[in-house]
Amino acid sequence: MSTKVKKVVLAYSGGLDTSIIIPWLKENYAAEVIAFAANIGQGEELSGLEAKAIKTGASKCIIEDLREEFVREFVFPTVRAGAIYERKYLLGTSFARPLIARRQVEIAEQKGRMPSLTAAPARATIRCALN
C-alpha cells in the first residue's frame, strides 16, 4: 500500500465501520487518524465517543457542535421544501451529511490539506472514499 498518506480526518460515528477502519489505516498506510464527529442533536450517542476513538487508535477526536448551522442551513430549508421520503417519512440524518462533510474538509485544510475519509457499510463489505 502507498505510504504517501500521513494524516487523515475520518468522519467518525463510533460504529463498527468507522471504528475498525482506524487501525486498518494505521496498519496499511501508517497514517495518523484524526476522528471527527458532529453534534447535530443526537444527544447521548456522543457520550464516550472521544474515548472510543482514542481507544481504537485515533490520535485525537474532534467533536463539534453544528446544531445551529444544521437547523438554519438544512432543517428549515428541507421542511420548507416539503422534503418527504416515499411520501411518508421526513428526511433524517441523511441531509446532515453535507454539513458534516463540509466541516470535515475545513478541518483537513486547517491541519495542512490532508485527505478526508468516510467509511460506510455497503452490504457485507466496507467501502471507503479517500477524498
Side-chain angles (χ1 to χ4, degrees):
M1 299 251 163
S2 171
T3 57
K4 290 183 181 181
V5 176
K6 296 297 179 198
K7 290 183 182 182
V8 296
V9 177
L10 172 69
Y12 184 72
S13 68
L16 178 62
D17 53 343
T18 58
S19 293
I20 64 170
I21 201 71
I22 292 174
W24 186 88
L25 287 167
K26 291 177 72 172
E27 180 181 323
N28 289 283
Y29 287 94
E32 176 186 347
V33 180
I34 298 170
F36 169 67
N39 177 356
I40 55 164
Q42 61 271 51
E44 290 186 25
E45 288 181 32
L46 297 173
S47 179
L49 194 65
E50 183 175 5
K52 185 173 184 178
I54 301 301
K55 186 176 181 180
T56 57
S59 62
K60 66 161 69 172
C61 181
I62 300 168
I63 301 173
E64 290 196 2
D65 187 345
L66 301 179
R67 290 176 294 180
E68 187 176 319
E69 285 175 76
F70 180 54
V71 170
R72 183 181 63 245
E73 297 178 25
F74 295 88
V75 173
F76 286 157
T78 301
V79 171
R80 279 194 301 261
I84 298 175
Y85 178 68
E86 294 183 345
R87 299 180 185 203
K88 190 173 183 179
Y89 307 102
L90 293 174
L91 293 175
T93 57
S94 62
F95 68 101
R97 290 183 186 131
L99 173 62
I100 294 167
R102 179 178 73 195
R103 186 63 190 127
Q104 178 186 4
V105 170
E106 289 169 355
I107 290 169
E109 288 174 344
Q110 290 171 358
K111 302 289 183 187
R113 299 196 59 80
M114 69 183 86
S116 58
L117 180 77
T118 57
R123 301 195 184 213
T125 63
I126 300 291
R127 72 182 153 84
C128 296
L130 189 59
N131 303 315

